[in-house]
Amino acid sequence: MNLKQRTFLLVTGASRGIGREFAHQLSGQIKAKGSVVALLGRNQALLEEAKTQILNSEPNLAVHTYSLELSTARTEDFTKILETARGGNGDFERAIVIHNAGTVGDTSKRAKEIGDTLFLQQYYHINVFSAIALNCEFMRLFQGIPKLVVNLSTLAAIAPISSMAHYCTVKAAREMYFRVLATEEAAPETLVLNYAPGVIDTQMTVQVQREAHDPAIVAMFREQREGKTMLTPAQTTARFIQVLEAQKFKSGDHVDYRDETY
């Protein structure tokens, strides 16, 4: 995993939290002249802050920001973003996409209560359909060079968690898509990683703690936050880079922050 090559890096959900930290730390690893970093998110002002943070550390990188609402995003939106960010540079030695963007859903409802099909359509569009559409365009536009495809996964993708029926189902669907991708595409040209970053002190876990219907889940998140045992975005990103550098995982693997095997 040579991150010193001329690299195209796209990070979704890059305006805050884990996505912003991934973009920042990975940019510090990508130093080759001609490398490009593309930041995709909802909040343009926060994306510009993330861009400035990167350029303060790595002034020679080309950094682009793109604001997009994933609930209505279409394939042609992703095509335009990728083509614009890539520009006329067809000389990349590696392309990386970090599928980080996502939402937790309504944790106040039990599984038997989430039957609103309009809400489900929008929720799945944000969390599953948009990631698949973006990935298809990424694979098409960067065919012929080594690609790293990273899906920000979670324990909720492989284990049921009370209060999180929305989140568990989209994360499971998304991870299975990337596992199929890994099965169909030959490594090392395409390397797929489902990375579960652990429980992070972010807006998402604050929302779960505030809204979850299950008192046990609320208590767990509160105790971890108050006890300062939740991970920071910087901690889990540093661990992610260690996983990449060691490269002990097989394409498509689910790797958790706490997995010592990797």
Side-chain angles (χ1 to χ4, degrees):
M1 183 60 62
N2 183 3
L3 296 177
K4 302 298 188 289
Q5 294 175 312
R6 284 188 305 280
T7 300
F8 179 94
L9 169 65
L10 171 64
V11 182
T12 71
S15 60
R16 57 166 62 91
I18 301 174
R20 183 165 176 167
E21 189 64 32
F22 265 61
H24 183 227
Q25 288 199 34
L26 282 172
S27 294
Q29 302 288 319
I30 299 169
K31 298 180 180 294
K33 184 177 181 180
S35 294
V36 170
V37 176
L39 309 177
L40 179 62
R42 294 172 60 188
N43 188 309
Q44 186 62 43
L46 291 178
L47 287 171
E48 290 300 323
E49 287 182 7
K51 175 181 177 178
T52 299
Q53 181 185 28
I54 292 170
L55 290 176
N56 284 341
S57 302
E58 306 297 335
N60 295 322
L61 286 178
V63 183
H64 307 288
T65 61
Y66 302 94
S67 178
L68 183 65
E69 178 53 67
L70 292 182
S71 64
T72 55
R74 300 172 63 86
T75 299
E76 48 265 39
D77 296 322
F78 297 122
T79 305
K80 183 178 179 180
I81 287 170
L82 286 166
E83 289 181 342
T84 302
R86 185 182 62 172
N89 188 347
D91 197 26
F92 293 110
E93 297 171 285
R94 179 179 300 281
I96 302 173
V97 58
I98 311 290
H99 294 283
N100 165 68
T103 58
V104 73
D106 188 347
T107 60
S108 71
K109 288 184 170 60
R110 296 175 179 273
K112 66 182 181 182
E113 299 171 329
I114 60 168
D116 184 340
T117 55
L118 290 178
F119 180 89
L120 289 169
Q121 286 171 4
Q122 184 182 63
Y123 185 66
Y124 271 74
H125 195 111
I126 293 170
N127 291 280
V128 182
F129 305 156
S130 64
I132 292 174
L134 169 59
N135 199 72
C136 288
E137 290 307 286
F138 173 82
M139 295 293 293
R140 182 179 67 83
L141 290 171
F142 291 101
Q143 56 186 317
I145 65 171
K147 291 174 286 296
L148 173 64
V149 177
V150 179
N151 171 45
L152 259 290
S153 188
T154 168
L155 175 64
I158 59 175
I161 301 176
S162 177
S163 296
M164 304 186 77
H166 282 122
Y167 192 63
C168 288
T169 54
V170 295
K171 284 296 189 177
R174 196 156 114 171
E175 175 151 333
M176 184 54 71
Y177 164 78
F178 286 106
R179 289 177 65 185
V180 172
L181 178 73
T183 299
E184 294 178 345
E185 303 300 318
E189 181 172 312
T190 299
L191 192 62
V192 180
L193 173 61
N194 292 291
Y195 178 68
V199 180
I200 315 295
D201 191 359
T202 62
Q203 288 185 338
M204 182 177 288
T205 52
V206 169
Q207 179 185 344
V208 175
Q209 182 179 329
R210 183 179 64 245
E211 299 176 356
H213 71 75
D214 189 331
I217 297 298
V218 173
M220 180 187 72
F221 277 70
R222 182 179 63 249
E223 289 167 7
Q224 290 190 31
R225 178 165 281 107
E226 293 176 354
K228 300 188 183 304
T229 57
M230 280 187 173
L231 298 168
T232 66
Q235 286 175 311
T236 195
T237 305
R239 172 62 176 145
F240 168 76
I241 291 175
Q242 290 176 351
V243 170
L244 289 188
E245 290 174 340
Q247 202 173 320
K248 295 179 180 179
F249 63 92
K250 295 179 181 178
S251 187
D253 276 356
H254 176 105
V255 178
D256 190 274
Y257 172 88
R258 301 186 189 282
D259 285 342
E260 296 182 2
T261 306
Y262 299 94

